[in-house]
Amino acid sequence: MIQRDLKRIKAETVTAIGMGTWGIGGYESPDYSRDRESVEVLRYGLEMGINLIDTAEFYGAGHSEELVGRAIDGFEREELFMISKVWPTHFGYEEAKKAAKQSAKRLGTYIDLYLLHWPGESWRRIEETLRALEELVDEGLIRYIGVSNFDLELLKRSQEAMRRYEIVANEVKYSLRDRWPETSGLLDYMKREKMALIAYTPLEKGSLARNPCLAEIGRRYGKTASQVALNYLIREDNVIAIPKAGSRVHLEENAGAMGWRLKEEDVEKVRGCV
């Protein structure tokens, strides 16, 4: 497994590929057979050595957090890294603290990295939320603070608003097909600041897995199109990709994106595939 030494997170060690939980289990209408299957898949990933799970209160109105809590039961908590997020409707000092406590209760544990899920419409509410999260770090409910879907301007503004702690991560949509973190300067800035960029939808809901050009490049490495698409992202030392933990087969394929590196002469060819 390739692991990331996240400088701003006190040299926290996490795998370069994590497990995303959007839409797992019965989701909006609990289906217990699907719930059980999702829990088993997550546990399989943990047994493989993938130690990062990404979830949110918004996913299934907290149901995904509950399933993650079931999945991590029995594993050494200190070896895992849990990410969750507060939805903009719960921004604000009191609301954010309450939301975090409810997420931690559903997970059955503290939260390693707690993110503001989307910017929302009010800067004042973002500031209040960041202040609440700093207090939650002091209380031990969360360990680190981050944001999600923040552009470069808003990320910098959020950094400046911090009083005692730092913004350590920004989770954004990033894939070979959607390379805006590269073209906007966000990725370069986050590399300089030693912040983790967490890439969601890295396989574009499976469409990159069916890309014949990526498959052709992958054959030269003994890898699949999906593995090439993921490796392109995690070749950057501060990038973590979180494809959905949909099945054991997918987890095994995702894990195969780690432990090797695209040659520089192939990077531009990979970009040209989409």
Side-chain angles (χ1 to χ4, degrees), residues 50-152:
I50 300 174
N51 68 348
L52 183 148
I53 302 179
D54 176 272
T55 189
E57 66 170 358
F58 181 74
Y59 299 171
H63 188 54
S64 291
E65 290 176 322
E66 293 171 343
L67 296 182
V68 170
R70 286 166 52 185
I72 66 176
D73 185 42
F75 287 88
E76 289 292 331
R77 178 62 183 88
E78 293 74 18
E79 296 178 3
L80 309 180
F81 199 87
M82 300 290 107
I83 301 175
S84 194
K85 313 176 193 72
V86 56
W87 193 247
T89 53
H90 291 151
F91 281 8
Y93 180 78
E94 294 294 343
E95 295 94 328
K97 293 188 85 170
K98 181 179 178 181
K101 290 172 182 176
Q102 291 175 336
S103 286
K105 183 178 180 180
R106 287 188 289 267
L107 288 166
T109 184
Y110 59 88
I111 301 166
D112 291 292
L113 175 58
Y114 198 49
L115 310 177
L116 280 67
H117 203 150
W118 285 88
E121 298 178 358
S122 167
W123 170 248
R124 182 179 63 83
R125 299 283 280 179
I126 290 175
E127 278 191 303
E128 291 175 353
T129 303
L130 292 173
R131 182 161 59 89
L133 268 53
E134 287 194 301
E135 291 191 8
L136 290 173
V137 173
D138 289 335
E139 295 169 15
L141 190 73
I142 68 177
R143 298 179 64 213
Y144 305 109
I145 299 167
V147 296
S148 182
N149 298 297
F150 278 37
D151 63 18
L152 180 54

Side-chain angles (χ1 to χ4, degrees), residues 3 14 32 47 49 53 71 85 87 91 99 109 120 131 173 175 179 204 233 240 245 251 256 264 268:
Q3 297 185 318
V14 300
Y32 296 110
E47 290 164 358
I53 302 179
K85 313 176 193 72
W87 193 247
F91 281 8
T109 184
R131 182 161 59 89
K173 186 175 184 296
S175 73
R179 293 170 45 223
E204 292 291 345
L233 302 180
I240 297 163
L251 282 179
E264 281 305 311
E268 198 57 44

Side-chain angles (χ1 to χ4, degrees), residues 88 96 100 205 209 230 252 262:
K205 300 181 179 180
L230 291 172
E252 291 171 354
L262 279 167

Side-chain angles (χ1 to χ4, degrees), residues 127 131 134-135 158-166:
E127 278 191 303
R131 182 161 59 89
E134 287 194 301
E135 291 191 8
S158 299
Q159 278 183 298
E160 293 168 358
M162 301 299 284
R163 298 177 181 178
R164 299 190 302 283
Y165 300 103
E166 297 175 312

Side-chain angles (χ1 to χ4, degrees), residues 183-195:
T183 57
S184 67
L186 179 67
L187 177 59
D188 285 340
Y189 174 80
M190 292 181 66
K191 281 195 291 186
R192 289 195 303 272
E193 293 295 308
K194 296 182 170 59
M195 299 173 66

